[in-house]
Amino acid sequence: MKKLKFKPLLLFLSIVSFLVSCQEDLDSSPILAPVETGLLNRTFFHENKQLEYALYIPTSYTGNEEVPLVVYLHGAPENKELAQSSTDFIDVSESQGFIMLYPEAGHAGSGGFIWAEGRGGIADARSDVSYINALVDAVTEELKIDPSKRYLCGFSNGGFMVQNVANQDNSRFAAMATVSASLHETFANTSPNPISMLYIYGTDDPITNYENGGLPPTAFNVDGWTVPALAIESAVDYWVGINGCNTTPKETDLADSDSGDNSTVTVLEYSNGTGGTEVKFYRINGGGHTWPGLPINNRPTALFEDTNKDIKAGKEIWEFFKKFERN
């Protein structure tokens, strides 16, 4: 009697068993959600209050590698939508691959939102320093953010808020930048940790006098601020001292590429600070209370003076930021 040959049958059963096992592994594997990019609107709860913010995630973001984060604080009374439309950061984010975060201030007033920047206004009843830091922590945890490459910047009221964070707790950020804001007198004698700082400021700014600082005119004092601001050059000197930079700057006059904007740009660079920190000051000669490089629709020239078009503020800020990392 011939013996039965079971080898083909055993081979077939082994293949079936292997395929079933593979299918079980596939069924048990988590299904990864697609990475969201573009403009996203979100909410965030802080101190029992629901707050809103927006993210812009560039199309190059995959979620596999850590990327930098730039946080922009809007002026007053504004919101996260104006923060996007009145700056050039989305274009820079898309070309350079960093994520933009646009928080909305916690205090509503005068048709928009106002930061608790520490100048004795109504908004100062709350703490926006803790809010900003908590939100940055949450976004860093949610997304693939490089903690050593987080940066903070702002315009006007948001610029003063940047100075508030810089003086109270700048530990999360590698560098900061302020446009059309200086530093209020509350911090004139404090000793924060050194951090690289950039200022962009117009000599014809009608909100805070270039030479004398002080309080904004009544028409622009939308939050009842009572603490005067330093003149911008005094604010620059403050950070030069805090950072221990060279006190004699490298001075450069940029090309007047748009002769019709009634302004020019002089750059003053203070280097060799503690831990490689720097201070950089873009003095907009003839410039107003505006964001250089863009027409700002909600700030008419008749009130806020001329906008410089020789530079784009967002691009210049990023070129400054990307040189620095937080250890």
Side-chain angles (χ1 to χ4, degrees), residues 72-78 115 117 119 154-163 178-182 200-201 205 207-208 220 225 289-291 299 304:
Y72 173 77
L73 308 182
H74 59 73
E78 296 183 357
W115 292 104
E117 38 137 286
R119 280 196 291 170
F155 175 84
S156 191
N157 170 236
F160 280 107
M161 189 65 220
V162 169
Q163 298 299 311
T178 291
V179 181
S180 295
S182 60
I200 300 176
Y201 206 96
D205 190 319
I207 309 300
T208 304
F220 296 109
W225 296 301
H289 195 77
T290 61
W291 186 267
R299 301 186 190 97
F304 295 92

PDB file of all heavy atoms in Angstrom, residues 72-78 115 117 119 154-163 178-182 200-201 205 207-208 220 225 289-291 299 304:
ATOM      1  N   TYR A  72       2.507  84.561  17.728  1.00  0.00           N
ATOM      2  CA  TYR A  72       2.277  85.978  17.445  1.00  0.00           C
ATOM      3  C   TYR A  72       1.110  86.498  18.281  1.00  0.00           C
ATOM      4  O   TYR A  72       0.025  85.912  18.283  1.00  0.00           O
ATOM      5  CB  TYR A  72       1.975  86.200  15.961  1.00  0.00           C
ATOM      6  CG  TYR A  72       1.565  87.629  15.665  1.00  0.00           C
ATOM      7  CD1 TYR A  72       2.514  88.631  15.600  1.00  0.00           C
ATOM      8  CD2 TYR A  72       0.224  87.964  15.494  1.00  0.00           C
ATOM      9  CE1 TYR A  72       2.138  89.958  15.371  1.00  0.00           C
ATOM     10  CE2 TYR A  72      -0.159  89.277  15.257  1.00  0.00           C
ATOM     11  CZ  TYR A  72       0.800  90.270  15.195  1.00  0.00           C
ATOM     12  OH  TYR A  72       0.432  91.568  14.976  1.00  0.00           O
ATOM     13  N   LEU A  73       1.336  87.614  18.976  1.00  0.00           N
ATOM     14  CA  LEU A  73       0.319  88.244  19.807  1.00  0.00           C
ATOM     15  C   LEU A  73      -0.205  89.495  19.110  1.00  0.00           C
ATOM     16  O   LEU A  73       0.565  90.423  18.809  1.00  0.00           O
ATOM     17  CB  LEU A  73       0.900  88.609  21.177  1.00  0.00           C
ATOM     18  CG  LEU A  73       1.618  87.471  21.924  1.00  0.00           C
ATOM     19  CD1 LEU A  73       2.105  87.961  23.282  1.00  0.00           C
ATOM     20  CD2 LEU A  73       0.729  86.249  22.077  1.00  0.00           C
ATOM     21  N   HIS A  74      -1.506  89.537  18.855  1.00  0.00           N
ATOM     22  CA  HIS A  74      -2.123  90.622  18.097  1.00  0.00           C
ATOM     23  C   HIS A  74      -2.131  91.924  18.886  1.00  0.00           C
ATOM     24  O   HIS A  74      -1.924  91.962  20.097  1.00  0.00           O
ATOM     25  CB  HIS A  74      -3.549  90.242  17.696  1.00  0.00           C
ATOM     26  CG  HIS A  74      -4.444  89.947  18.871  1.00  0.00           C
ATOM     27  ND1 HIS A  74      -4.922  90.921  19.712  1.00  0.00           N
ATOM     28  CD2 HIS A  74      -4.938  88.767  19.349  1.00  0.00           C
ATOM     29  CE1 HIS A  74      -5.685  90.387  20.642  1.00  0.00           C
ATOM     30  NE2 HIS A  74      -5.713  89.071  20.452  1.00  0.00           N
ATOM     31  N   GLY A  75      -2.435  93.027  18.182  1.00  0.00           N
ATOM     32  CA  GLY A  75      -2.603  94.331  18.820  1.00  0.00           C
ATOM     33  C   GLY A  75      -3.972  94.458  19.458  1.00  0.00           C
ATOM     34  O   GLY A  75      -4.761  93.512  19.491  1.00  0.00           O
ATOM     35  N   ALA A  76      -4.281  95.674  19.953  1.00  0.00           N
ATOM     36  CA  ALA A  76      -5.565  95.902  20.625  1.00  0.00           C
ATOM     37  C   ALA A  76      -6.322  97.047  19.955  1.00  0.00           C
ATOM     38  O   ALA A  76      -5.713  98.018  19.520  1.00  0.00           O
ATOM     39  CB  ALA A  76      -5.325  96.256  22.092  1.00  0.00           C
ATOM     40  N   PRO A  77      -7.658  96.925  19.877  1.00  0.00           N
ATOM     41  CA  PRO A  77      -8.451  95.724  20.178  1.00  0.00           C
ATOM     42  C   PRO A  77      -8.589  94.894  18.901  1.00  0.00           C
ATOM     43  O   PRO A  77      -9.274  95.314  17.966  1.00  0.00           O
ATOM     44  CB  PRO A  77      -9.792  96.300  20.619  1.00  0.00           C
ATOM     45  CG  PRO A  77      -9.889  97.610  19.859  1.00  0.00           C
ATOM     46  CD  PRO A  77      -8.493  98.105  19.615  1.00  0.00           C
ATOM     47  N   GLU A  78      -7.955  93.755  18.857  1.00  0.00           N
ATOM     48  CA  GLU A  78      -7.953  92.928  17.649  1.00  0.00           C
ATOM     49  C   GLU A  78      -8.298  91.492  18.004  1.00  0.00           C
ATOM     50  O   GLU A  78      -8.729  91.189  19.115  1.00  0.00           O
ATOM     51  CB  GLU A  78      -6.609  93.038  16.937  1.00  0.00           C
ATOM     52  CG  GLU A  78      -6.321  94.459  16.426  1.00  0.00           C
ATOM     53  CD  GLU A  78      -5.020  94.559  15.653  1.00  0.00           C
ATOM     54  OE1 GLU A  78      -4.298  93.546  15.540  1.00  0.00           O
ATOM     55  OE2 GLU A  78      -4.718  95.664  15.166  1.00  0.00           O
ATOM     56  N   TRP A 115      -4.640  92.378  25.518  1.00  0.00           N
ATOM     57  CA  TRP A 115      -3.730  91.622  26.364  1.00  0.00           C
ATOM     58  C   TRP A 115      -3.521  92.309  27.718  1.00  0.00           C
ATOM     59  O   TRP A 115      -3.456  93.540  27.801  1.00  0.00           O
ATOM     60  CB  TRP A 115      -2.380  91.454  25.680  1.00  0.00           C
ATOM     61  CG  TRP A 115      -2.437  90.582  24.476  1.00  0.00           C
ATOM     62  CD1 TRP A 115      -2.418  90.982  23.166  1.00  0.00           C
ATOM     63  CD2 TRP A 115      -2.549  89.156  24.463  1.00  0.00           C
ATOM     64  NE1 TRP A 115      -2.509  89.896  22.343  1.00  0.00           N
ATOM     65  CE2 TRP A 115      -2.586  88.749  23.102  1.00  0.00           C
ATOM     66  CE3 TRP A 115      -2.611  88.182  25.458  1.00  0.00           C
ATOM     67  CZ2 TRP A 115      -2.694  87.422  22.728  1.00  0.00           C
ATOM     68  CZ3 TRP A 115      -2.715  86.852  25.082  1.00  0.00           C
ATOM     69  CH2 TRP A 115      -2.756  86.478  23.737  1.00  0.00           C
ATOM     70  N   GLU A 117      -1.080  93.309  29.582  1.00  0.00           N
ATOM     71  CA  GLU A 117       0.351  93.513  29.356  1.00  0.00           C
ATOM     72  C   GLU A 117       1.064  94.181  30.510  1.00  0.00           C
ATOM     73  O   GLU A 117       2.268  94.400  30.468  1.00  0.00           O
ATOM     74  CB  GLU A 117       0.552  94.320  28.079  1.00  0.00           C
ATOM     75  CG  GLU A 117      -0.505  95.401  27.901  1.00  0.00           C
ATOM     76  CD  GLU A 117       0.024  96.716  27.443  1.00  0.00           C
ATOM     77  OE1 GLU A 117       0.651  97.407  28.261  1.00  0.00           O
ATOM     78  OE2 GLU A 117      -0.220  97.064  26.274  1.00  0.00           O
ATOM     79  N   ARG A 119       0.364  97.307  32.046  1.00  0.00           N
ATOM     80  CA  ARG A 119       0.437  98.770  32.131  1.00  0.00           C
ATOM     81  C   ARG A 119      -0.719  99.376  32.933  1.00  0.00           C
ATOM     82  O   ARG A 119      -1.066 100.536  32.762  1.00  0.00           O
ATOM     83  CB  ARG A 119       0.466  99.388  30.727  1.00  0.00           C
ATOM     84  CG  ARG A 119       1.825  99.339  30.079  1.00  0.00           C
ATOM     85  CD  ARG A 119       1.917 100.281  28.881  1.00  0.00           C
ATOM     86  NE  ARG A 119       1.105  99.840  27.769  1.00  0.00           N
ATOM     87  CZ  ARG A 119       0.870 100.588  26.680  1.00  0.00           C
ATOM     88  NH1 ARG A 119       1.366 101.805  26.594  1.00  0.00           N
ATOM     89  NH2 ARG A 119       0.136 100.105  25.693  1.00  0.00           N
ATOM     90  N   GLY A 154       5.084  90.068  18.843  1.00  0.00           N
ATOM     91  CA  GLY A 154       3.795  90.720  18.906  1.00  0.00           C
ATOM     92  C   GLY A 154       3.844  92.138  18.392  1.00  0.00           C
ATOM     93  O   GLY A 154       4.918  92.728  18.234  1.00  0.00           O
ATOM     94  N   PHE A 155       2.659  92.696  18.138  1.00  0.00           N
ATOM     95  CA  PHE A 155       2.506  94.044  17.616  1.00  0.00           C
ATOM     96  C   PHE A 155       1.730  94.901  18.603  1.00  0.00           C
ATOM     97  O   PHE A 155       0.697  94.477  19.132  1.00  0.00           O
ATOM     98  CB  PHE A 155       1.764  94.002  16.272  1.00  0.00           C
ATOM     99  CG  PHE A 155       1.441  95.357  15.705  1.00  0.00           C
ATOM    100  CD1 PHE A 155       2.381  96.052  14.968  1.00  0.00           C
ATOM    101  CD2 PHE A 155       0.204  95.938  15.931  1.00  0.00           C
ATOM    102  CE1 PHE A 155       2.093  97.320  14.469  1.00  0.00           C
ATOM    103  CE2 PHE A 155      -0.096  97.199  15.422  1.00  0.00           C
ATOM    104  CZ  PHE A 155       0.857  97.889  14.686  1.00  0.00           C
ATOM    105  N   SER A 156       2.234  96.126  18.883  1.00  0.00           N
ATOM    106  CA  SER A 156       1.529  97.113  19.696  1.00  0.00           C
ATOM    107  C   SER A 156       1.195  96.525  21.075  1.00  0.00           C
ATOM    108  O   SER A 156       2.099  96.143  21.815  1.00  0.00           O
ATOM    109  CB  SER A 156       0.279  97.583  18.941  1.00  0.00           C
ATOM    110  OG  SER A 156      -0.306  98.700  19.547  1.00  0.00           O
ATOM    111  N   ASN A 157      -0.077  96.422  21.448  1.00  0.00           N
ATOM    112  CA  ASN A 157      -0.455  95.815  22.721  1.00  0.00           C
ATOM    113  C   ASN A 157       0.129  94.413  22.863  1.00  0.00           C
ATOM    114  O   ASN A 157       0.609  94.016  23.937  1.00  0.00           O
ATOM    115  CB  ASN A 157      -1.985  95.801  22.822  1.00  0.00           C
ATOM    116  CG  ASN A 157      -2.537  94.987  23.962  1.00  0.00           C
ATOM    117  OD1 ASN A 157      -3.344  94.075  23.745  1.00  0.00           O
ATOM    118  ND2 ASN A 157      -2.145  95.289  25.188  1.00  0.00           N
ATOM    119  N   GLY A 158       0.153  93.668  21.759  1.00  0.00           N
ATOM    120  CA  GLY A 158       0.784  92.350  21.779  1.00  0.00           C
ATOM    121  C   GLY A 158       2.286  92.435  21.950  1.00  0.00           C
ATOM    122  O   GLY A 158       2.908  91.550  22.550  1.00  0.00           O
ATOM    123  N   GLY A 159       2.900  93.513  21.440  1.00  0.00           N
ATOM    124  CA  GLY A 159       4.326  93.717  21.641  1.00  0.00           C
ATOM    125  C   GLY A 159       4.661  94.009  23.096  1.00  0.00           C
ATOM    126  O   GLY A 159       5.654  93.505  23.637  1.00  0.00           O
ATOM    127  N   PHE A 160       3.820  94.831  23.742  1.00  0.00           N
ATOM    128  CA  PHE A 160       4.014  95.068  25.175  1.00  0.00           C
ATOM    129  C   PHE A 160       3.812  93.773  25.969  1.00  0.00           C
ATOM    130  O   PHE A 160       4.463  93.540  26.989  1.00  0.00           O
ATOM    131  CB  PHE A 160       3.067  96.159  25.673  1.00  0.00           C
ATOM    132  CG  PHE A 160       3.526  97.557  25.373  1.00  0.00           C
ATOM    133  CD1 PHE A 160       2.896  98.315  24.394  1.00  0.00           C
ATOM    134  CD2 PHE A 160       4.593  98.122  26.060  1.00  0.00           C
ATOM    135  CE1 PHE A 160       3.314  99.606  24.113  1.00  0.00           C
ATOM    136  CE2 PHE A 160       5.023  99.413  25.792  1.00  0.00           C
ATOM    137  CZ  PHE A 160       4.394 100.159  24.811  1.00  0.00           C
ATOM    138  N   MET A 161       2.887  92.917  25.486  1.00  0.00           N
ATOM    139  CA  MET A 161       2.681  91.627  26.144  1.00  0.00           C
ATOM    140  C   MET A 161       3.913  90.743  26.006  1.00  0.00           C
ATOM    141  O   MET A 161       4.275  89.998  26.932  1.00  0.00           O
ATOM    142  CB  MET A 161       1.445  90.943  25.545  1.00  0.00           C
ATOM    143  CG  MET A 161       1.006  89.690  26.308  1.00  0.00           C
ATOM    144  SD  MET A 161       0.440  90.070  27.974  1.00  0.00           S
ATOM    145  CE  MET A 161       1.161  88.701  28.890  1.00  0.00           C
ATOM    146  N   VAL A 162       4.582  90.811  24.867  1.00  0.00           N
ATOM    147  CA  VAL A 162       5.848  90.085  24.696  1.00  0.00           C
ATOM    148  C   VAL A 162       6.841  90.522  25.770  1.00  0.00           C
ATOM    149  O   VAL A 162       7.522  89.693  26.395  1.00  0.00           O
ATOM    150  CB  VAL A 162       6.432  90.327  23.291  1.00  0.00           C
ATOM    151  CG1 VAL A 162       7.874  89.812  23.207  1.00  0.00           C
ATOM    152  CG2 VAL A 162       5.578  89.652  22.227  1.00  0.00           C
ATOM    153  N   GLN A 163       6.920  91.834  25.997  1.00  0.00           N
ATOM    154  CA  GLN A 163       7.845  92.344  27.016  1.00  0.00           C
ATOM    155  C   GLN A 163       7.443  91.871  28.411  1.00  0.00           C
ATOM    156  O   GLN A 163       8.292  91.625  29.270  1.00  0.00           O
ATOM    157  CB  GLN A 163       7.879  93.863  26.955  1.00  0.00           C
ATOM    158  CG  GLN A 163       8.383  94.423  25.636  1.00  0.00           C
ATOM    159  CD  GLN A 163       9.806  93.988  25.333  1.00  0.00           C
ATOM    160  OE1 GLN A 163      10.699  94.100  26.177  1.00  0.00           O
ATOM    161  NE2 GLN A 163      10.024  93.486  24.131  1.00  0.00           N
ATOM    162  N   THR A 178       9.415  92.468  19.045  1.00  0.00           N
ATOM    163  CA  THR A 178       8.343  93.411  19.315  1.00  0.00           C
ATOM    164  C   THR A 178       8.274  94.446  18.200  1.00  0.00           C
ATOM    165  O   THR A 178       9.294  95.028  17.835  1.00  0.00           O
ATOM    166  CB  THR A 178       8.590  94.112  20.669  1.00  0.00           C
ATOM    167  OG1 THR A 178       8.423  93.164  21.721  1.00  0.00           O
ATOM    168  CG2 THR A 178       7.620  95.243  20.890  1.00  0.00           C
ATOM    169  N   VAL A 179       7.089  94.659  17.669  1.00  0.00           N
ATOM    170  CA  VAL A 179       6.863  95.650  16.621  1.00  0.00           C
ATOM    171  C   VAL A 179       5.925  96.725  17.160  1.00  0.00           C
ATOM    172  O   VAL A 179       4.865  96.414  17.717  1.00  0.00           O
ATOM    173  CB  VAL A 179       6.257  95.009  15.354  1.00  0.00           C
ATOM    174  CG1 VAL A 179       6.060  96.063  14.263  1.00  0.00           C
ATOM    175  CG2 VAL A 179       7.144  93.876  14.843  1.00  0.00           C
ATOM    176  N   SER A 180       6.324  98.004  17.011  1.00  0.00           N
ATOM    177  CA  SER A 180       5.499  99.150  17.421  1.00  0.00           C
ATOM    178  C   SER A 180       5.120  99.097  18.896  1.00  0.00           C
ATOM    179  O   SER A 180       3.988  99.396  19.282  1.00  0.00           O
ATOM    180  CB  SER A 180       4.241  99.258  16.546  1.00  0.00           C
ATOM    181  OG  SER A 180       4.596  99.536  15.208  1.00  0.00           O
ATOM    182  N   ALA A 181       6.062  98.699  19.730  1.00  0.00           N
ATOM    183  CA  ALA A 181       5.904  98.731  21.183  1.00  0.00           C
ATOM    184  C   ALA A 181       7.299  98.790  21.785  1.00  0.00           C
ATOM    185  O   ALA A 181       8.265  98.312  21.180  1.00  0.00           O
ATOM    186  CB  ALA A 181       5.150  97.503  21.694  1.00  0.00           C
ATOM    187  N   SER A 182       7.398  99.357  22.983  1.00  0.00           N
ATOM    188  CA  SER A 182       8.712  99.444  23.621  1.00  0.00           C
ATOM    189  C   SER A 182       8.736  98.570  24.876  1.00  0.00           C
ATOM    190  O   SER A 182       8.712  97.345  24.790  1.00  0.00           O
ATOM    191  CB  SER A 182       9.064 100.904  23.930  1.00  0.00           C
ATOM    192  OG  SER A 182       8.113 101.492  24.813  1.00  0.00           O
ATOM    193  N   ILE A 200      11.211  96.518  16.168  1.00  0.00           N
ATOM    194  CA  ILE A 200      10.943  97.272  14.946  1.00  0.00           C
ATOM    195  C   ILE A 200      10.048  98.432  15.352  1.00  0.00           C
ATOM    196  O   ILE A 200       8.970  98.219  15.928  1.00  0.00           O
ATOM    197  CB  ILE A 200      10.255  96.405  13.875  1.00  0.00           C
ATOM    198  CG1 ILE A 200      11.142  95.206  13.489  1.00  0.00           C
ATOM    199  CG2 ILE A 200       9.930  97.235  12.640  1.00  0.00           C
ATOM    200  CD1 ILE A 200      10.490  94.241  12.506  1.00  0.00           C
ATOM    201  N   TYR A 201      10.497  99.674  15.053  1.00  0.00           N
ATOM    202  CA  TYR A 201       9.762 100.832  15.594  1.00  0.00           C
ATOM    203  C   TYR A 201       9.915 102.024  14.678  1.00  0.00           C
ATOM    204  O   TYR A 201      11.011 102.321  14.192  1.00  0.00           O
ATOM    205  CB  TYR A 201      10.314 101.179  16.976  1.00  0.00           C
ATOM    206  CG  TYR A 201       9.327 101.879  17.876  1.00  0.00           C
ATOM    207  CD1 TYR A 201       8.578 101.171  18.801  1.00  0.00           C
ATOM    208  CD2 TYR A 201       9.148 103.262  17.807  1.00  0.00           C
ATOM    209  CE1 TYR A 201       7.672 101.803  19.636  1.00  0.00           C
ATOM    210  CE2 TYR A 201       8.251 103.906  18.638  1.00  0.00           C
ATOM    211  CZ  TYR A 201       7.514 103.173  19.558  1.00  0.00           C
ATOM    212  OH  TYR A 201       6.616 103.798  20.378  1.00  0.00           O
ATOM    213  N   ASP A 205       5.832 107.163  15.054  1.00  0.00           N
ATOM    214  CA  ASP A 205       4.734 106.420  15.676  1.00  0.00           C
ATOM    215  C   ASP A 205       3.907 107.363  16.546  1.00  0.00           C
ATOM    216  O   ASP A 205       4.432 107.964  17.494  1.00  0.00           O
ATOM    217  CB  ASP A 205       5.310 105.279  16.526  1.00  0.00           C
ATOM    218  CG  ASP A 205       4.257 104.304  17.010  1.00  0.00           C
ATOM    219  OD1 ASP A 205       3.164 104.755  17.418  1.00  0.00           O
ATOM    220  OD2 ASP A 205       4.520 103.095  16.986  1.00  0.00           O
ATOM    221  N   ILE A 207       1.439 106.590  18.556  1.00  0.00           N
ATOM    222  CA  ILE A 207       0.874 105.937  19.749  1.00  0.00           C
ATOM    223  C   ILE A 207       1.801 106.107  20.952  1.00  0.00           C
ATOM    224  O   ILE A 207       1.379 106.509  22.033  1.00  0.00           O
ATOM    225  CB  ILE A 207       0.604 104.444  19.495  1.00  0.00           C
ATOM    226  CG1 ILE A 207      -0.211 104.255  18.221  1.00  0.00           C
ATOM    227  CG2 ILE A 207      -0.109 103.823  20.689  1.00  0.00           C
ATOM    228  CD1 ILE A 207      -1.552 104.929  18.223  1.00  0.00           C
ATOM    229  N   THR A 208       3.068 105.777  20.793  1.00  0.00           N
ATOM    230  CA  THR A 208       4.056 105.969  21.847  1.00  0.00           C
ATOM    231  C   THR A 208       5.186 106.814  21.276  1.00  0.00           C
ATOM    232  O   THR A 208       5.847 106.409  20.323  1.00  0.00           O
ATOM    233  CB  THR A 208       4.609 104.627  22.355  1.00  0.00           C
ATOM    234  OG1 THR A 208       3.531 103.807  22.800  1.00  0.00           O
ATOM    235  CG2 THR A 208       5.566 104.844  23.511  1.00  0.00           C
ATOM    236  N   PHE A 220      -6.306 106.540  21.749  1.00  0.00           N
ATOM    237  CA  PHE A 220      -5.706 105.225  21.526  1.00  0.00           C
ATOM    238  C   PHE A 220      -5.562 104.418  22.812  1.00  0.00           C
ATOM    239  O   PHE A 220      -5.087 103.287  22.787  1.00  0.00           O
ATOM    240  CB  PHE A 220      -4.323 105.380  20.879  1.00  0.00           C
ATOM    241  CG  PHE A 220      -4.354 106.001  19.512  1.00  0.00           C
ATOM    242  CD1 PHE A 220      -3.885 107.289  19.303  1.00  0.00           C
ATOM    243  CD2 PHE A 220      -4.862 105.303  18.432  1.00  0.00           C
ATOM    244  CE1 PHE A 220      -3.912 107.863  18.044  1.00  0.00           C
ATOM    245  CE2 PHE A 220      -4.893 105.865  17.170  1.00  0.00           C
ATOM    246  CZ  PHE A 220      -4.423 107.160  16.969  1.00  0.00           C
ATOM    247  N   TRP A 225      -4.774 102.386  30.192  1.00  0.00           N
ATOM    248  CA  TRP A 225      -3.414 102.170  30.711  1.00  0.00           C
ATOM    249  C   TRP A 225      -2.942 103.376  31.517  1.00  0.00           C
ATOM    250  O   TRP A 225      -3.194 104.530  31.155  1.00  0.00           O
ATOM    251  CB  TRP A 225      -2.443 101.899  29.560  1.00  0.00           C
ATOM    252  CG  TRP A 225      -2.749 100.638  28.813  1.00  0.00           C
ATOM    253  CD1 TRP A 225      -2.809  99.374  29.324  1.00  0.00           C
ATOM    254  CD2 TRP A 225      -3.057 100.511  27.427  1.00  0.00           C
ATOM    255  NE1 TRP A 225      -3.136  98.461  28.345  1.00  0.00           N
ATOM    256  CE2 TRP A 225      -3.301  99.131  27.166  1.00  0.00           C
ATOM    257  CE3 TRP A 225      -3.171 101.425  26.365  1.00  0.00           C
ATOM    258  CZ2 TRP A 225      -3.615  98.656  25.902  1.00  0.00           C
ATOM    259  CZ3 TRP A 225      -3.488 100.944  25.103  1.00  0.00           C
ATOM    260  CH2 TRP A 225      -3.718  99.568  24.877  1.00  0.00           C
ATOM    261  N   HIS A 289       2.841 103.617  13.162  1.00  0.00           N
ATOM    262  CA  HIS A 289       2.415 102.509  14.027  1.00  0.00           C
ATOM    263  C   HIS A 289       1.844 101.411  13.125  1.00  0.00           C
ATOM    264  O   HIS A 289       0.620 101.189  13.078  1.00  0.00           O
ATOM    265  CB  HIS A 289       1.374 103.007  15.023  1.00  0.00           C
ATOM    266  CG  HIS A 289       1.124 102.082  16.168  1.00  0.00           C
ATOM    267  ND1 HIS A 289       1.982 101.975  17.239  1.00  0.00           N
ATOM    268  CD2 HIS A 289       0.103 101.227  16.431  1.00  0.00           C
ATOM    269  CE1 HIS A 289       1.508 101.101  18.102  1.00  0.00           C
ATOM    270  NE2 HIS A 289       0.357 100.625  17.632  1.00  0.00           N
ATOM    271  N   THR A 290       2.718 100.740  12.398  1.00  0.00           N
ATOM    272  CA  THR A 290       2.280  99.807  11.355  1.00  0.00           C
ATOM    273  C   THR A 290       3.190  98.593  11.312  1.00  0.00           C
ATOM    274  O   THR A 290       4.218  98.526  11.996  1.00  0.00           O
ATOM    275  CB  THR A 290       2.307 100.491   9.976  1.00  0.00           C
ATOM    276  OG1 THR A 290       3.659 100.904   9.695  1.00  0.00           O
ATOM    277  CG2 THR A 290       1.393 101.698   9.933  1.00  0.00           C
ATOM    278  N   TRP A 291       2.796  97.613  10.478  1.00  0.00           N
ATOM    279  CA  TRP A 291       3.571  96.387  10.255  1.00  0.00           C
ATOM    280  C   TRP A 291       4.308  96.543   8.928  1.00  0.00           C
ATOM    281  O   TRP A 291       3.694  96.476   7.868  1.00  0.00           O
ATOM    282  CB  TRP A 291       2.638  95.185  10.205  1.00  0.00           C
ATOM    283  CG  TRP A 291       3.345  93.858  10.125  1.00  0.00           C
ATOM    284  CD1 TRP A 291       3.665  93.161   9.000  1.00  0.00           C
ATOM    285  CD2 TRP A 291       3.817  93.081  11.232  1.00  0.00           C
ATOM    286  NE1 TRP A 291       4.315  91.996   9.314  1.00  0.00           N
ATOM    287  CE2 TRP A 291       4.424  91.915  10.688  1.00  0.00           C
ATOM    288  CE3 TRP A 291       3.795  93.245  12.614  1.00  0.00           C
ATOM    289  CZ2 TRP A 291       4.995  90.928  11.489  1.00  0.00           C
ATOM    290  CZ3 TRP A 291       4.364  92.263  13.403  1.00  0.00           C
ATOM    291  CH2 TRP A 291       4.949  91.120  12.845  1.00  0.00           C
ATOM    292  N   ARG A 299      -5.779 100.024   9.979  1.00  0.00           N
ATOM    293  CA  ARG A 299      -5.021 101.144  10.542  1.00  0.00           C
ATOM    294  C   ARG A 299      -4.780 102.178   9.451  1.00  0.00           C
ATOM    295  O   ARG A 299      -3.754 102.152   8.774  1.00  0.00           O
ATOM    296  CB  ARG A 299      -3.686 100.652  11.120  1.00  0.00           C
ATOM    297  CG  ARG A 299      -3.864  99.614  12.209  1.00  0.00           C
ATOM    298  CD  ARG A 299      -2.543  99.254  12.851  1.00  0.00           C
ATOM    299  NE  ARG A 299      -2.724  98.107  13.712  1.00  0.00           N
ATOM    300  CZ  ARG A 299      -2.474  96.867  13.360  1.00  0.00           C
ATOM    301  NH1 ARG A 299      -2.004  96.615  12.162  1.00  0.00           N
ATOM    302  NH2 ARG A 299      -2.663  95.878  14.192  1.00  0.00           N
ATOM    303  N   PHE A 304      -2.366 106.409  11.697  1.00  0.00           N
ATOM    304  CA  PHE A 304      -1.229 105.614  12.135  1.00  0.00           C
ATOM    305  C   PHE A 304       0.059 105.886  11.369  1.00  0.00           C
ATOM    306  O   PHE A 304       1.056 105.226  11.576  1.00  0.00           O
ATOM    307  CB  PHE A 304      -1.588 104.122  12.052  1.00  0.00           C
ATOM    308  CG  PHE A 304      -2.678 103.732  13.001  1.00  0.00           C
ATOM    309  CD1 PHE A 304      -4.004 103.745  12.600  1.00  0.00           C
ATOM    310  CD2 PHE A 304      -2.386 103.388  14.303  1.00  0.00           C
ATOM    311  CE1 PHE A 304      -5.022 103.407  13.483  1.00  0.00           C
ATOM    312  CE2 PHE A 304      -3.383 103.051  15.200  1.00  0.00           C
ATOM    313  CZ  PHE A 304      -4.709 103.058  14.789  1.00  0.00           C
TER     314      PHE A 304
END
